[in-house]
Amino acid sequence: MPTAPRVSIVIPLFNDAETIEAALESCLAQTLAEVEIICVDDASTDDTADVVERFRERDSRVRLLHQPHNLTALQARRAGVIEATAPHVLFLDGDDELLPDAAQKALAAATRHDADLVGFGTEVVTPDGRIVGGYQKRLAPQRAALSGTGVLGGLFPPGEPAQGQLWRFLFRTAVVRKAYELVPTDLALPRVNDLPLLFLVAALANSYVSIDDRLYRYHYGRGGSGQAVETLDQAYFYADAIRSIDSIESAVRSIARTRSNPALLLDAYDSARLSIIGHVLSHLLAHTAQHLVDDVLAHLNTCAPPVDLVLAAARFHPETFSALKRRSAPVELGAAPVHSVMLTTRSLTTGGVSNVLLTQAAYLRQAGYRVLIVARRFDSNRNLVPEGVEFIEMVGRGLPERLTEWAAICRSRAVDVIIDHQVMYSRDWPEYALTARALGVPTIGWLHSFAGRPTYDGSGMHGLLKESLPLLATTVALSPLDVAFWKLRGVTRSVYLPNPPSPLMLESKGEALASRRPGGRIELLWYGRLDDRTKRVTDLIDVAHELRRLSLDFHITVIGPDGGDLTSDRFNELARARHLDGFIEAVGEKRGQKLIDAIDGAQAFVTTSVIEGYQLTIVEAQARGLPVFMYELPWLMVVQGNAGVVSVPQGDAAALACQVAAVFASDERYGQLSVASLVAAERARSYDFAHLYEQLITGSLPSQYSPVPTLEQAQTLLDWTIFYADQHTGPRADSTARRRDGHGTGRGRSAADSQRGGSSFKQHFWQRAQPVGRSLLQVFPALRPLAQRVKAMLTVGR
């Protein structure tokens, strides 16, 4: 009497005539004799069934079942499991083999531990017999033993690529049958038909063990994986893997309803699903003929929500981000009504970026919108949030978690438009914009510094900005010259808007009077953050040196918190080293009324910044009636047409001191500047900001805010780009560092230099441009045809 089978080996077959013989020989060679081999022919059109039939005649342990029509391996395995008589089952594909002791060793482990699943290793070989060690290692069991809900968590750990090969396990037959009860009998899955079943089995299983032995021989390259995708039909076939994982969602949720902690199961499923989506996306982008990629991405957007493609890329295949950014469909402003606006930054502080954001929030509330502020990092000052504005501080760790959280916020708060204030300062903002774009939410990027800032910093941000700014519905800069820069870089959806007034400016409305020239000591004021790299605070020491040389009775007060490269104590040390103590002093930070009192106690504001985006301190000082003396920053909106400002060439401390001396020598000139300052401050306050922001978020800004670049602007941008490249790499950078260390000469630019004017400026900086010419043309590729013409103009008279 034949012995009852202890292991059933189920083999789904479709057109495997060339390989099934080796597969069956490996089954019959098992050291465990008590096996049954159930072959399920899934309506093959070749001789597969005939080959199996010859083996069946040879050995009664071989059985052959016929599917009436092709239902894919998912249903062929079901038919085999239903017919199985053994308490445990192994799965074998028709083009692979089992090692001789596979059934015996796997069954021994299952019996010893009473396990629902037994994991084992796999031997991976190429057609010429070589071992594929890397893949073989990835297929090896990663956990020794698991129990309860830990089985699913161990086999499908959230955040790790999902693997679903059924042939890496021995199963308790009853558990597999229970899993199949949750799968529709008519479900056909041409791609990834094993992972859905394995996931359900892992969710239902109570115990798992593994052994290190390699019991399965997998023939790498025999299937369709890794092949080039040259037709849309091939792409659709690969993309069908997404439908496979989606097909068990209702079953997963059904199991979850029976669990005390369903989140564990649902998180594992969501991760496995994103893993499959990410794998499909990566494979198709890597292997699809380029002329088909747009159509393939369009199809993928029908297979899964576009935001899931982005989240899958973030978690599992970040190398696909570049293609998604380039090829995702734009979301236009004004395409849908706007009710809810999100403003976002790194964290809420008392700094300039946060002040702009908070004032915007108040104006948008005034215009009738729901406003949400989201900080993408921790450490925000929640007390700054305006009344009626919701605030969220994100808690996710790592970009994949944060993007998932970002998408959830956009959905739950029904966000219609996003204004991102970190575009100039963050390298991951494009991923947030891409996520929002996938949800149909347009993002507006607010640039808080002059477009030349990345050149000056040497940050390499220009490449990222050029590639990623097209993700934005609109890029908001702070001046027409900035708009020209970005449009010349190919960012056509660029506009400029003034920054909103600060509380100090609003409080000063109708309060300050024109300042009067003092009869005694001249009190000069500088305030801001002590950031010497961008604000050149230590240039004030040069200015003080020149003022003293001119025999003026003066004092310069420097107010502000310490910066990353300069402190008040260090500043005062440098001043003492130049014997200027008593003439200039850094006094630390002042806020509120103390700052206003300090401004009102001064007769002029001095600024030495080398680069700014808006420089609100200029109009704040002017709002209190102070004339302004500064290095030229001609793109600044606040200085254009501002008769209360006196500017000199960049870095020319001697010229700045001479202008201060000349103005304070004339009551009339000083009075004119003071009155003009008040006029300029009133102009800066006069915009209808609520209306401007409403026009911005609805895409209805007048064309005047998005001017066409001119040749004159292009020439100016060339000047300043060369200048900033020179500042980053040239002698000025070295001399600034030496002065900061106390080794500088302490002299500003000479009076002769200051008299040379704009022509000398252009000639000097064109000469300094030779080492950075290549990077300049990378920044402005649109200007290549004009390069020689502009060069000739700039170098005239050399």
Side-chain angles (χ1 to χ4, degrees):
M1 184 174 179
T3 306
R6 300 178 65 192
V7 173
S8 297
I9 303 172
V10 174
I11 311 176
L13 297 170
F14 179 72
N15 291 348
D16 290 307
E18 293 184 4
T19 56
I20 184 57
E21 184 172 344
L24 287 172
E25 290 287 6
S26 75
C27 294
L28 296 177
Q30 289 298 300
T31 57
L32 178 72
E34 299 92 338
V35 297
E36 63 176 351
I37 302 114
I38 305 174
C39 300
V40 184
D41 180 40
D42 196 26
S44 295
T45 57
D46 65 359
D47 296 332
T48 298
D50 293 337
V51 175
V52 176
E53 186 63 31
R54 289 198 297 271
F55 273 84
R56 189 187 68 79
E57 293 174 355
R58 170 180 144 192
D59 194 313
S60 62
R61 292 177 297 173
V62 177
R63 301 167 60 188
L64 176 61
L65 306 178
H66 295 276
Q67 297 278 74
H69 53 273
N70 187 274
L71 295 172
T72 71
L74 175 74
Q75 299 299 351
R77 293 191 186 99
R78 181 203 291 267
V81 169
I82 291 173
E83 290 294 318
T85 61
H88 293 90
V89 62
L90 284 168
F91 292 106
L92 172 65
D93 283 353
D95 54 356
D96 293 330
E97 294 105 39
L98 293 173
L99 277 296
D101 52 359
Q104 182 176 10
K105 287 186 174 180
L107 180 62
T111 303
R112 184 165 58 252
H113 299 283
D114 192 25
D116 292 331
L117 288 102
V118 176
F120 46 79
T122 301
E123 180 183 286
V124 181
V125 296
T126 62
D128 59 1
R130 291 181 294 108
I131 298 295
V132 185
Y135 192 33
Q136 192 166 274
K137 184 177 180 180
R138 290 197 298 274
L139 291 175
Q142 303 300 310
R143 278 84 182 171
L146 303 164
S147 62
T149 57
V151 176
L152 178 66
L155 297 184
F156 290 91
E160 295 184 21
Q163 295 195 88
Q165 301 89 350
L166 289 166
W167 34 259
R168 295 188 298 127
F169 303 90
L170 173 81
F171 298 87
R172 195 186 299 275
T173 307
V175 178
V176 181
R177 286 174 176 163
K178 188 175 181 181
Y180 262 120
E181 290 174 2
L182 300 171
V183 178
T185 56
D186 59 349
L187 177 65
L189 299 177
R191 281 284 294 164
V192 188
N193 50 62
D194 47 1
L195 187 146
L197 182 66
L198 179 60
F199 189 94
L200 293 177
V201 170
L204 296 169
N206 289 313
S207 56
Y208 162 89
V209 295
S210 69
I211 54 179
D212 295 331
D213 304 74
R214 296 190 184 101
L215 305 182
Y216 192 95
R217 179 177 292 122
Y218 174 76
H219 288 277
Y220 186 82
R222 278 188 178 174
S225 299
Q227 295 180 353
V229 179
E230 298 177 346
T231 68
L232 286 179
D233 284 342
Q234 287 176 304
Y236 297 163
F237 171 72
Y238 279 101
D240 203 52
I242 299 174
R243 184 174 66 89
S244 294
I245 190 66
D246 285 345
S247 70
I248 62 168
E249 180 179 0
S250 60
V252 169
R253 297 195 179 280
S254 174
I255 297 171
R257 286 192 288 270
T258 68
R259 300 291 170 82
S260 58
N261 188 357
L264 295 175
L265 173 57
L266 296 176
D267 288 348
Y269 172 72
D270 289 341
S271 177
R273 179 175 175 274
L274 289 179
S275 173
I276 295 300
I277 293 172
H279 176 75
V280 169
L281 175 67
S282 176
H283 180 85
L284 289 177
L285 287 177
H287 297 284
T288 299
Q290 284 301 302
H291 69 282
L292 296 176
V293 171
D294 284 336
D295 288 335
V296 167
L297 283 175
H299 177 69
L300 287 178
N301 283 328
T302 68
C303 297
V307 69
D308 288 355
L309 297 179
V310 176
L311 297 179
R315 187 172 293 191
F316 297 104
H317 290 278
E319 77 280 359
T320 62
F321 267 132
S322 181
L324 288 177
K325 292 173 191 175
R326 291 195 312 271
R327 298 175 183 271
S328 62
V331 181
E332 302 293 341
L333 293 170
V338 178
H339 304 288
S340 176
V341 182
M342 177 200 293
L343 306 176
T344 183
T345 186
R346 181 181 177 89
S347 60
L348 280 187
T349 67
T350 55
V353 172
S354 291
N355 286 339
V356 172
L357 180 149
L358 292 167
T359 307
Q360 282 180 353
Y363 279 120
L364 288 166
R365 281 284 299 156
Q366 178 184 326
Y369 296 100
R370 294 195 313 273
V371 179
L372 165 69
I373 296 174
V374 175
R376 295 206 286 255
R377 297 292 190 275
F378 59 90
D379 245 1
S380 288
N381 185 344
R382 295 171 180 264
N383 295 325
L384 299 173
V385 179
E387 184 178 354
V389 173
E390 185 183 4
F391 174 74
I392 295 176
E393 191 172 70
M394 297 179 65
V395 298
R397 295 185 177 183
L399 186 61
E401 277 191 28
R402 290 200 298 272
L403 293 184
T404 301
E405 185 178 2
W406 183 256
I409 292 170
C410 290
R411 285 167 169 155
S412 64
R413 300 311 193 277
V415 172
D416 297 311
V417 175
I418 296 169
I419 302 178
D420 192 334
H421 286 267
Q422 282 293 298
V423 170
M424 189 68 90
Y425 309 117
S426 164
R427 291 186 178 275
D428 60 9
W429 70 263
E431 282 69 37
Y432 290 91
L434 182 63
T435 302
R437 193 171 186 171
L439 289 166
V441 180
T443 299
I444 298 168
W446 201 281
L447 306 186
H448 284 268
S449 193
F450 178 51
R453 179 68 181 264
T455 303
Y456 179 64
D457 291 343
S459 64
M461 282 287 286
H462 273 307
L464 174 72
L465 291 168
K466 178 174 173 57
E467 177 190 38
S468 301
L469 285 177
L471 284 169
L472 301 174
T474 297
T475 298
V476 180
L478 298 175
S479 75
L481 196 62
D482 285 282
V483 171
F485 181 97
W486 294 116
K487 286 193 173 184
L488 289 169
R489 290 282 280 158
V491 184
T492 57
R493 294 191 300 275
S494 302
V495 302
Y496 75 91
L497 284 177
N499 268 345
S502 67
L504 190 155
M505 289 176 62
L506 296 175
E507 292 168 11
S508 300
K509 184 176 177 62
E511 176 182 324
L513 299 176
S515 208
R516 299 185 62 183
R517 188 181 71 83
R521 187 172 70 169
I522 299 170
E523 291 289 345
L524 303 175
L525 175 71
W526 182 99
Y527 71 95
R529 183 176 179 83
L530 272 64
D531 184 343
D532 202 39
R533 172 151 179 79
T534 60
K535 300 185 183 299
R536 294 285 167 84
V537 192
T538 52
D539 274 26
L540 293 168
I541 297 174
D542 293 338
V543 173
H545 174 84
E546 294 296 328
L547 288 172
R548 190 177 180 190
R549 190 176 63 81
L550 294 169
S551 301
L552 263 67
D553 183 12
F554 72 95
H555 184 266
I556 303 176
T557 302
V558 178
I559 296 174
D562 294 345
D565 57 0
L566 186 65
T567 66
S568 292
D569 289 344
R570 180 57 180 154
F571 181 91
N572 290 332
E573 285 177 14
L574 293 172
R576 285 193 295 272
R578 300 279 296 280
H579 308 293
L580 291 170
D581 40 321
F583 293 93
I584 184 168
E585 182 184 14
V587 298
E589 188 173 15
K590 293 182 185 291
R591 296 184 181 279
Q593 190 58 46
K594 289 183 178 181
L595 176 59
I596 293 175
D597 291 343
I599 297 173
D600 289 347
Q603 285 85 44
F605 177 71
V606 182
T607 173
T608 49
S609 290
V610 67
I611 192 164
E612 293 279 0
Y614 189 73
Q615 199 168 1
L616 199 57
T617 54
I618 291 176
V619 281
E620 285 182 336
Q622 290 190 304
R624 310 302 295 184
L626 298 190
V628 174
F629 297 88
M630 65 182 291
Y631 290 159
E632 61 180 348
L633 298 172
W635 62 85
L636 288 183
M637 286 287 292
V638 296
V639 306
Q640 294 172 16
N642 188 336
V645 170
V646 178
S647 63
V648 302
Q650 270 290 330
D652 197 340
L656 200 60
C658 287
Q659 287 292 345
V660 171
V663 167
F664 277 90
S666 168
D667 289 349
E668 181 181 2
R669 176 64 175 143
Y670 180 88
Q672 290 171 346
L673 287 171
S674 181
V675 170
S677 284
L678 291 173
V679 171
E682 181 56 35
R683 183 183 65 180
R685 285 188 296 249
S686 66
Y687 294 96
D688 185 347
F689 286 96
H691 184 57
L692 278 177
Y693 295 154
E694 183 172 16
Q695 289 178 316
L696 171 66
I697 64 177
T698 58
S700 57
L701 271 176
S703 60
Q704 71 190 68
Y705 293 101
S706 185
V708 176
T710 66
L711 179 60
E712 181 182 4
Q713 288 177 321
Q715 294 165 352
T716 301
L717 288 168
L718 280 169
D719 286 344
W720 284 96
T721 301
I722 293 167
F723 172 61
Y724 286 132
D726 180 53
Q727 293 292 300
H728 176 64
T729 60
R732 170 71 201 208
D734 294 337
S735 65
T736 299
R738 287 198 301 272
R739 182 175 57 196
R740 204 177 292 132
D741 292 337
H743 304 302
T745 63
R747 294 183 181 178
R749 205 165 127 187
S750 71
D753 285 341
S754 68
Q755 291 171 2
R756 292 176 189 164
S759 176
S760 174
F761 178 83
K762 292 179 180 179
Q763 292 175 23
H764 171 72
F765 292 120
W766 183 264
Q767 292 168 359
R768 298 301 308 166
Q770 298 307 310
V772 295
R774 183 175 298 175
S775 62
L776 176 64
L777 288 178
Q778 289 176 347
V779 172
F780 292 109
L783 293 180
R784 285 182 183 275
L786 297 174
Q788 292 302 319
R789 178 181 171 189
V790 174
K791 176 181 178 181
M793 186 200 71
L794 292 176
T795 55
V796 136
R798 284 181 56 190

